[in-house]
Amino acid sequence: MRLTLILLALFALAFLIFNISLCVRVWWMAELPLWRRILPTLLLCTGLAASTSRAWGITAVAEAIAFPLNAATALLGTYESGRQRARRAAARRQPEASS
């Protein structure tokens, strides 16, 4: 039982660090509009606030929206990072095609 809780806590910590790194990466994408740069960070902060509501005994909110918001943060950050990677690859191929 104790090992399971430790592994679960390590997974949660790794997922949190992954989400934070994605939020920072998206935040520094200057070509995106401001609302698209801020959205993953807002989703993460809202999910963390919902998760901490468990400390005050409000478990229904945490159970209902904490994980979906954290998952949406990961999906949105991955999507924006992938789109930026595709834009940069297309920009590198563009000058070669016109030569």
Side-chain angles (χ1 to χ4, degrees):
M1 181 70 173
R2 184 175 295 220
L3 179 62
T4 304
L5 290 176
I6 291 172
L7 291 175
L8 183 63
L10 287 175
F11 174 75
L13 184 63
F15 191 66
L16 176 65
I17 291 170
F18 173 70
N19 273 344
I20 290 171
S21 67
L22 280 175
C23 287
V24 169
R25 189 178 303 155
V26 171
W27 185 265
W28 286 102
M29 292 180 188
E31 66 272 3
L32 291 178
L34 182 64
W35 70 271
R36 281 179 57 191
R37 289 189 294 162
I38 293 175
L39 185 61
T41 306
L42 288 176
L43 289 173
L44 180 64
C45 291
T46 307
L48 290 175
S51 292
T52 57
S53 69
R54 282 192 179 117
W56 289 284
I58 307 170
T59 59
V61 174
E63 291 170 357
I65 65 170
F67 180 73
L69 286 174
N70 290 332
T73 300
L75 290 173
L76 186 61
T78 305
Y79 173 75
E80 292 294 352
S81 295
R83 288 209 32 181
Q84 183 191 29
R85 196 174 304 121
R87 282 190 299 266
R88 285 185 179 176
R92 276 187 289 218
R93 279 185 258 136
Q94 188 73 19
E96 295 173 4
S98 64
S99 297

